[in-house]
């Protein structure tokens, strides 16, 4: 039977929706009428310009730095980076330019992806008086894919690695990764670029190179050339190959965008806000938010890619980016939404052997969230008692861009070769698994949405694509899984190395399995998780 709060909530939504009015400013209306776009059915955000454009992109530019209509014109009007005229610069820029010219479909694809984000990025650059060419940097970094993840563990539009994100104050936790968030990552990236520009005395070529390879590599290159009495400009430095191509790629894009033929080729992006920021006040289920806003959940994730799972983070940010036309829907819906409908709390009877960590994993939530929902001071559970457990309001498969759904989609993708389903065992690493199946560590990581330096967990499921036609089996069938999880209670006098030796595992593995439990010293009565190979135990 529906709760009273649920009935009141639905009735109030019906009343509010009757009074909901959408308005478009006269200026925006004129702009829309002038552009006469047509929308491609089934693809979010993409708008193709049907209008015949002038042969000269510059002809459309006005005297002001903010130009209504298409963002393309405003973008190139505000390019500021100095022309690079050395023979080495011209050679390297032209090499990248020729690649882009041969792949117009790539430019169309990334520019379409840029649609939701580009206006925000250009506005932030204008506020800081930074070169507008930097708005093209996410093309080089991530191809404007907000969910991009590199082999170097970089994430998001601006491809920020975990350490740099932490240094820049970007939140990264189980619920939320600010490196993918549109607002937080853009702010952090521009802060970093400004800092690098100051460090290299206003030389944007060096600053942009340092954004890619790290300031240390650029400083090292400068010191090396100084010792040899060689020039210390970017084009004269010996840097990592990726960095040597990185700056020319950006400048090749600038050159390309200054050509009127490129303007005609690319989908139109309006020179106005694509989204509004809606304050949510506290944690909310993303499916509920999408329903209130009257948008599909893919659109919600596309504008809010920082949220890893099925809800916003308990400790914020408490805001969502919503397309302009639907932002008021969410604001009004939130006003009438009872607190008990923001996050579903399921009543659960504790069973013998349950642990709070196990229940958290099973329900796609965190230990902290369960403790907060139940006012718990510690992790102790008593069989027979009841817990309130935060749960998704609908089937987890509905959260199509959550971390787990993206992984499932990636692992289900068809590739060349024979697919092997592999379960990680004690002692495994990317290197040992790759060697076993005759592939590279990077391939194994890529097929599973990881980087080669990421940590593997015992029991984790991987997919591997091998050319060997005889390996059409899962790891569970090919080799008996003799690794078992046990719980060990620490005794007086125990040490990590002693426990590791007793169970024939490594101290580093013990630390990894018990990362959240271990403090400076072991305490008698403390319970540790150990993944033991039963074959090794019986052989002792």
């Amino acid at each position: 039977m529906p709760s009273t709060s649920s009935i009141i909530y639905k009735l109030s939504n019906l009343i509010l929706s009757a009074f909901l009015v959408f308005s478009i400013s006269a200026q925006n209306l004129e702009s829309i009428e002038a552009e006469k776009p047509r929308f491609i059915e089934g693809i979010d955000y993409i708008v193709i310009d049907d209008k015949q454009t002038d042969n000269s992109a510059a002809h459309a530019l006005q005297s002001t730095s903010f130009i209504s209509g298409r963002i393309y014109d405003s973008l190139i009007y505000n390019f500021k980076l100095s022309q690079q005229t050395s023979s080495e610069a011209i050679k390297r820029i032209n090499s990248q330019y020729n690649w882009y010219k041969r792949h117009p479909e790539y430019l169309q694809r990334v520019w379409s992806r840029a649609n939701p984000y580009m206006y925000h990025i250009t506005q932030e650059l204008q506020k800081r008086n930074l070169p507008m060419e930097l708005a093209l940097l996410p093309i080089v970094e991530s191809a404007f894919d907000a969910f991009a993840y590199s082999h170097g563990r970089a994430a998001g539009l601006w491809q920020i690695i975990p350490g740099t994100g932490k240094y820049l104050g970007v939140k990264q936790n189980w619920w939320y990764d600010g490196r993918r968030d549109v607002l937080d990552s853009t702010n952090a990236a521009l802060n970093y670029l400004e800092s690098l520009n100051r460090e290299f005395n206003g030389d944007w070529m060096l600053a942009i190179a340092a954004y890619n390879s790290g300031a240390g590599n650029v400083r090292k290159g400068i010191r090396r050339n100084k010792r040899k009495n060689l020039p210390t400009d970017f084009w004269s430095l010996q840097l990592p190959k990726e960095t040597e191509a990185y700056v020319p790629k950006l400048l090749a894009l600038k050159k390309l965008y200054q050509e009127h033929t490129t303007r005609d080729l690319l989908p139109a992006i309006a020179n106005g806000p694509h989204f509004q920021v809606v304050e949510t006040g506290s944690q909310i289920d993303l499916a509920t938010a999408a329903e209130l806003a009257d948008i599909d959940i893919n659109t919600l994730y596309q504008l809010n890619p920082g949220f890893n799972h099925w809800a916003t983070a308990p400790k914020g940010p408490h805001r969502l980016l919503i397309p302009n036309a639907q932002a008021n829907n969410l604001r009004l819906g939130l006003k009438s939404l009872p607190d008990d409908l923001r996050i579903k709390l399921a009543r659960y009877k504790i069973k013998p052997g349950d642990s709070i960590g196990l229940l958290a994993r099973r329900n796609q939530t965190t230990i902290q969230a369960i403790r907060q929902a139940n006012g718990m001071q510690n992790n102790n559970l008593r069989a027979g008692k009841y817990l309130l457990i935060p749960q998704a309001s609908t089937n987890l498969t509905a959260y199509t861009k959550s971390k787990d759904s993206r992984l499932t989609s990636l692992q289900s993708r068809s590739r060349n070769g024979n697919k092997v389903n592999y379960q990680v065992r004690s002692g495994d690493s990317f290197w040992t698994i790759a060697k076993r199946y005759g592939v590279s560590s990077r391939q194994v990581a890529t097929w599973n949405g990881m980087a080669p330096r990421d940590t593997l967990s015992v029991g984790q499921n991987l997919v591997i694509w091998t050319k060997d036609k005889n390996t059409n089996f899962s790891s569970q069938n090919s080799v008996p899984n003799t690794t078992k999880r046990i719980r060990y209670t620490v005794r007086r006098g125990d040490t990590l190395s002693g426990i590791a030796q007793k169970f024939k595992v490594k101290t580093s593995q013990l630390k990894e399995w018990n990362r959240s439990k271990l403090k400076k010293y072991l305490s008698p009565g403390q319970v540790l998780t150990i993944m033991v190979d039963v074959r090794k135990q019986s052989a002792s």
Side-chain angles (χ1 to χ4, degrees):
M1 182 176 177
S3 65
T4 304
S5 58
S6 176
I7 293 168
I8 295 170
Y9 159 62
K10 288 177 179 176
L11 284 172
S12 59
N13 264 0
L14 287 171
I15 295 166
L16 285 167
S17 62
F19 292 97
L20 189 61
V21 177
F22 299 105
S23 62
I24 302 174
S25 69
Q27 181 182 354
N28 287 340
L29 193 59
E30 289 171 9
S31 173
I32 292 169
E33 180 61 27
E35 285 292 308
K36 294 193 183 298
R38 61 180 173 87
F39 293 85
I40 298 181
E41 186 178 355
I43 304 178
D44 289 339
Y45 311 116
I46 303 178
V47 181
I48 304 292
D49 182 22
D50 277 341
K51 189 178 63 175
Q52 285 294 107
T53 53
D54 196 289
N55 283 340
S56 171
H59 179 74
L61 301 177
Q62 301 173 10
S63 58
T64 173
S65 63
F66 181 86
I67 301 169
S68 62
R70 294 180 64 166
I71 205 166
Y72 186 97
D73 301 321
S74 182
L75 188 74
I76 63 173
Y77 185 83
N78 288 282
F79 282 166
K80 293 181 181 179
L81 293 180
S82 58
Q83 198 73 12
Q84 303 298 302
T85 56
S86 71
S87 58
E88 179 66 16
I90 292 169
K91 181 179 77 174
R92 283 157 66 180
I93 292 168
N94 282 343
S95 173
Q96 300 298 333
Y97 168 87
N98 290 334
W99 187 92
Y100 287 128
K101 287 290 279 188
R102 291 195 304 271
H103 297 86
E105 72 289 345
Y106 172 80
L107 290 174
Q108 290 173 324
R109 190 163 62 248
V110 297
W111 195 243
S112 295
R113 286 198 202 119
N115 195 338
Y117 318 118
M118 184 55 79
Y119 179 77
H120 172 73
I121 292 171
T122 58
Q123 290 303 290
E124 291 303 303
L125 289 168
Q126 283 188 338
K127 284 178 192 174
R128 299 168 184 246
N129 196 31
L130 294 175
M132 198 56 70
E133 289 93 332
L134 298 179
L136 304 178
L137 207 55
I139 297 179
V140 182
E141 283 287 354
S142 63
F144 263 109
D145 181 355
F147 295 101
Y149 187 67
S150 78
H151 62 82
R153 304 181 70 206
L157 296 173
W158 298 93
Q159 289 291 278
I160 299 171
I161 61 174
T164 302
K166 186 176 180 181
Y167 166 75
L168 295 169
V170 177
K171 280 185 181 181
Q172 298 167 70
N173 53 52
W174 189 86
W175 290 102
Y176 175 77
D177 190 341
R179 297 177 302 150
R180 290 200 310 270
D181 181 81
V182 178
L183 304 188
D184 286 354
S185 68
T186 299
N187 182 58
L190 300 190
N191 284 345
Y192 191 35
L193 284 162
E194 283 183 311
S195 170
L196 291 169
N197 182 247
R198 288 192 297 270
E199 179 173 349
F200 292 103
N201 303 313
D203 189 322
W204 274 112
M205 299 301 103
L206 295 178
I208 294 167
Y211 185 88
N212 175 253
S213 69
N217 277 324
V218 176
R219 287 194 297 266
K220 183 179 176 182
I222 291 172
R223 288 195 299 270
R224 184 189 299 115
N225 276 24
K226 280 183 175 179
R227 286 195 300 269
K228 297 178 180 179
N229 292 319
L230 294 173
T232 56
D233 62 285
F234 166 77
W235 306 102
S236 303
L237 298 183
Q238 183 182 339
L239 295 168
K241 287 189 183 300
E242 181 185 321
T243 308
E244 289 186 351
Y246 185 81
V247 175
K249 282 180 182 177
L250 181 66
L251 297 178
L253 285 168
K254 172 185 179 175
K255 178 180 178 179
L256 201 61
Y257 272 59
Q258 287 175 317
E259 297 176 354
H260 71 270
T261 51
T262 305
R263 184 188 193 275
D264 296 345
L265 169 77
L266 297 179
I269 298 177
N271 200 6
H274 182 91
F275 57 76
Q276 295 178 29
V277 179
V278 177
E279 301 296 331
T280 59
S282 62
Q283 188 180 30
I284 187 170
D285 187 300
L286 292 175
T288 300
E291 185 178 353
L292 291 175
D294 194 23
I295 58 177
D296 64 80
I297 201 157
N298 273 352
T299 300
L300 189 68
Y301 273 117
Q302 204 67 44
L303 290 177
N304 300 274
F307 294 114
N308 290 326
H309 299 286
W310 52 269
T312 60
K315 294 188 176 180
H318 297 311
R319 45 112 168 117
L320 288 169
L321 308 187
I322 304 294
N324 287 327
Q326 288 82 27
N328 249 6
N329 292 358
L330 181 56
R331 290 191 184 99
L332 292 171
L334 288 171
K335 285 181 181 179
S336 62
L337 183 69
D339 288 345
D340 62 346
L341 293 183
R342 281 176 164 267
I343 295 289
K344 175 185 171 185
L345 293 175
R347 194 164 181 260
Y348 174 81
K349 188 175 182 179
I350 301 168
K351 300 172 184 175
D354 277 343
S355 71
I356 195 168
L358 177 66
L359 294 176
R361 287 193 297 275
R362 190 182 294 161
N363 292 279
Q364 284 283 297
T365 187
T366 61
I367 292 172
Q368 186 180 19
I370 294 177
R371 285 178 55 172
Q372 186 177 341
N374 293 274
M376 298 168 63
Q377 300 301 313
N378 53 49
N379 294 344
N380 296 336
L381 300 179
R382 287 181 62 186
K385 296 289 185 181
Y386 285 88
L387 272 181
L388 292 175
I389 302 180
Q391 288 185 341
S393 63
T394 187
N395 192 295
L396 289 172
T397 57
Y399 301 85
T400 50
K401 293 291 184 181
S402 69
K403 188 175 182 180
D404 291 326
S405 292
R406 294 198 312 272
L407 176 59
T408 300
S409 175
L410 179 66
Q411 291 181 331
S412 302
R413 190 179 299 170
S414 182
R415 303 178 189 274
N416 292 329
N418 225 36
K419 184 178 181 179
V420 176
N421 295 308
Y422 184 85
Q423 191 174 79
V424 176
R425 299 192 287 270
S426 177
D428 275 343
S429 68
F430 279 114
W431 185 83
T432 58
I433 296 169
K435 185 180 179 185
R436 184 178 303 162
Y437 290 100
V439 295
S440 70
S441 297
R442 184 176 290 188
Q443 283 177 309
V444 176
T446 300
W447 294 330
N448 294 280
M450 301 178 74
R453 285 186 292 162
D454 284 344
T455 303
L456 291 173
S457 303
V458 172
Q460 183 176 349
N461 294 315
L462 303 177
V463 298
I464 300 160
W465 291 85
T466 173
K467 293 179 180 177
D468 187 348
K469 293 181 180 179
N470 296 318
T471 55
N472 57 344
F473 46 74
S474 68
S475 66
Q476 294 96 317
N477 295 329
S478 61
V479 181
N481 186 5
T482 58
T483 300
K484 304 296 179 186
R485 182 194 300 267
I486 68 165
R487 298 174 74 194
Y488 177 79
T489 303
V490 175
R491 301 166 187 169
R492 190 178 299 277
D494 272 345
T495 62
L496 277 180
S497 58
I499 296 169
Q501 187 176 12
K502 181 185 296 184
F503 290 99
K504 296 181 173 58
V505 296
K506 296 178 182 177
T507 305
S508 59
Q509 289 174 315
L510 264 184
K511 290 179 179 178
E512 177 61 32
W513 297 327
N514 298 277
R515 187 184 299 174
S516 61
K517 302 176 186 175
L518 289 177
K519 297 180 181 178
K520 191 171 183 180
Y521 301 105
L522 290 176
S523 305
Q526 187 176 358
V527 178
L528 300 180
T529 297
I530 307 175
M531 307 301 296
V532 300
D533 188 330
V534 295
R535 294 172 303 180
K536 292 182 180 179
Q537 311 309 312
S538 60
S540 59

